Every structure is written in C-alpha cells, then in structure tokens.
Amino acid sequence: MRRRKTKKRETDVPLTGLFDIEREETSNSSNSYPEAESRLKDSKDEESEGVKPVPTPRNSPMVQGLQHINSFSSSKEDERGSNGQSEEAEADFNGDTESLSSCMTEQASLKFSSSTGSLQSGYTLSGSMMSLFSSGDFGMVEVRGRIQFSLVYDTQKEELHVKVFRCEEIASVRKDRSDPYVKTYLLPDKSNRSKKKTAVKKKTLNPVYDQTFRYKVRVGELRSRTLNLSVWHAVPLSRNVFLGEVEVSLALWDWTCSWPLWQDLQPRIHLNPDSISSRGLILLSMKFVPDGFEGGGLPLTGELHIWLREAQSLLANKGGAIDSFVKSYILPDASRQSGQKTRVVKRSISPTYNHTMVYDGFHSSDLREACAELTVWQREGLKSHVLGGIRLSCGTGQSYGEAVSWMDSTEEEVTLWTSMIENPNHWVDATLSIRTNLAQRSE
C-alpha cells in the first residue's frame, strides 16, 4: 500500500436552506448529528474563535490545495454597568472550566429540556448545563425565578440576535435585593469573543435590560451550538454569585418563533470530565476509485480518497479556541508510510481543514479488512495530545482472520465505509461524532 502526496482543496461556499433541522438523519449519507456541546466556568477567558466557509467536493480525483484563512467577526456590545461599573469582578482561575449542554423541554414553540443530557452516550443528567472543573460561588443561594429572551437569525448578515428582555423573581443575595446582570456565551466557545454581558441593575429582583447581543455565525454551524444565558449578582472586587442559567440547543430551536419567551432559571451541576463521550463533530467525504476504473488502465491500483472538510464545536479540556490538526492511518499499517496529517488550524473551535488524503495500492477486497483511523489533535506549544477520533471500517473486529481491537467502528462509521465500497468513484458525505472511546491499539 502506497500513499500519495496530499494537498488542500479550493472550494466555493454554498448557502443551503436555512435551519433544515431534523430530529433523526437517514443512513444513506451516514450523517450523525449528536449534540456535543459544552460550557466553561466563569473566569477571565483568553481566546477567540474562527469561523470558516463550508467547502464542496469537486469531481477531479487529484488532490488540490488552497491555504484557507479563518476569520471571525463579532460585534462588541456595551458591557458597562450602572454607576460606572464596566465589568463585574470575576475570579481568574488557573483551572479553566468546561461543560456539556443539555436539551431544553418544549414550551410555547420552544423545544426545551432542562433535565436531559444530549450526548450520544445516552446518559441522563438533571439540572441545566453540566459544569466541569468548576469552582466558585455556586449554591450560595437557591436558584429561582425566570428570564425572558428572544432569538432571531439574520440570514443576510449571518448573525444571531439574542435579545435579553428581563428577569423576574430571582433569588435575593442581600436583604431582599440583588444586583443582577445577564451573561451569554455561544458554546462551546467561552472566550472573550463569545462572552457578552448586560448592564448591572442595582437593588432589584425584577431587572429590566432590553439589550440585544449579536453573534456572527454561519447557518451550517448553528446546529452544533448552544446558547447559554446565566444570571449573576455583581460583587465588586470579589467573586460574583451565581443566580441561575438557561441553555438553548440551537439545533432544537423553533426558528419560526421570534417573540419573547419565558424560561425558568436552572441550577448548575458538576460532572466528571471523564464522562465526556464526544469532543465535537467532523465533516468529511470519501470515495474509492477501483483500478482501471478511469479507463486506459488507470488508476494502476485502487485509490482511497478521504476529504477532511472541517470540524465543528471542538471541545478541549481548557475550553475556547484551540490549535488543531487531524492525523490519518490506514490500519493494519500504522507506520509512517501510512500516516498523513493536515495543516494546523489555529485559534478555532470549528476549523476548516479542507484537506484530502489519497492512498493507493488497494484492491476492493482489501477494504473489508482495512480501517481508516482519523484522530483530532490539539497542539499546545511544542506538545500535542489527542482529543478523539473516528474509525471507518466494516466493524467486524477481525482483519485478515485475526482479532484486532481497532475494528471497533460505530454503526454510523460502518454505514459510511460500506456505502463507499458499494458506490465506487462517488463521493459519500458524512458528519460523525469525534468520540473518545477509541479502543487502544498497539503501535
């Protein structure tokens, strides 16, 4: 088996139908949309997010490249508090925080569930969003009250407009009063670019804000994002007090609803980070070109094309935008001859790789014994560590008659692989979960 030199592919940006949100996806294209959304604890955040166009396949089997620049534009909102207070005093912890999002129960056209986690593993968690590695003034007061807000998506500007109207009957911190403000994040990004805050309202349990926040985000990314709205009591020069939160999975939001809706504030609960089963989504396309399929005896041997398009909502241990890349191997060959990788995409939770790996030397029968392993890595300085990955194979647990641990593909991964084998010389598209439970293999 030989490997081909790889390049990146230049593509245009299609804008498909707005918010084509489905609860279940068919297996023809092997698409899987598990919600792998997360959130971080309140601290001084440090990174910004990159957003990129979605590439489209081209018919040429040759691998082509274009260096793609990620860009992000975010409108800054007024964060001034009353009486000249510009920002609340937030504790700056060395240990950052993360969280996994929960779905929202249905109320007045809003699909909303405050008691069920939405990860593919299927475990159930109560409360609102699950906080990881968090510390601070949580649980000082009993969470109560509700918040009114509305969501509108501007298709021309590709902006999400979040309007925070008011809160009612929130918890009191000091003698039947609080100094509340509302903070929002578009998760899993918890950087300063994602953080937006209302003004602080003094001495009230029923604050009125009427402030609108704008997030620059593409239509295709909305289904992998979660909006977090949290209410805090401002304490100058000290840790602020958590008063409750609401989370909205944008994949489940009813976009025909533009009027203000009330939602009850929820407490925050803690979750062990080892419970994370998914680190985001990976979008890719694959095809197999049999030997001689193009005529004139070409190609000389079968070719496997793996087009890594992008990742969405990458969840790192420290949260926020990260530097990432993808490695690929065609097992059972785990040598350098088989290994390939994309360029490093910096400071993005939804990076565009736009990179195609080509492997030749295949016969059709080899595909049922082989496995394409793709792993997503985070680079921090001179070190890199794996976030998770996917394995594309027939999932039989055996290769050439021997039991192997790496033939552990999920149902969605098996569907993509077999669909590629059964449709030679045709691109097969898929969106798969970047899972963390890949069985260990010997190098």
Side-chain angles (χ1 to χ4, degrees), residues 47 314 316-327 341-348 351 353 375-387:
E47 294 179 327
L314 291 182
N317 287 335
K318 294 183 179 180
I322 63 173
D323 299 346
S324 65
F325 63 94
V326 177
K327 285 184 181 180
K341 67 179 182 179
T342 69
R343 66 189 176 95
V344 176
V345 180
K346 295 185 177 182
R347 299 178 66 81
S348 176
Y353 302 112
T375 50
V376 182
W377 293 73
Q378 178 181 0
R379 175 168 290 178
E380 294 181 291
L382 299 178
K383 297 181 179 180
S384 299
H385 64 270
V386 66
L387 295 178

Side-chain angles (χ1 to χ4, degrees), residues 17-34:
L18 178 64
F19 309 123
D20 182 15
I21 298 170
E22 300 177 2
R23 296 298 180 84
E24 296 181 359
E25 306 293 339
T26 60
S27 61
N28 290 336
S29 61
S30 304
N31 286 342
S32 175
Y33 296 99

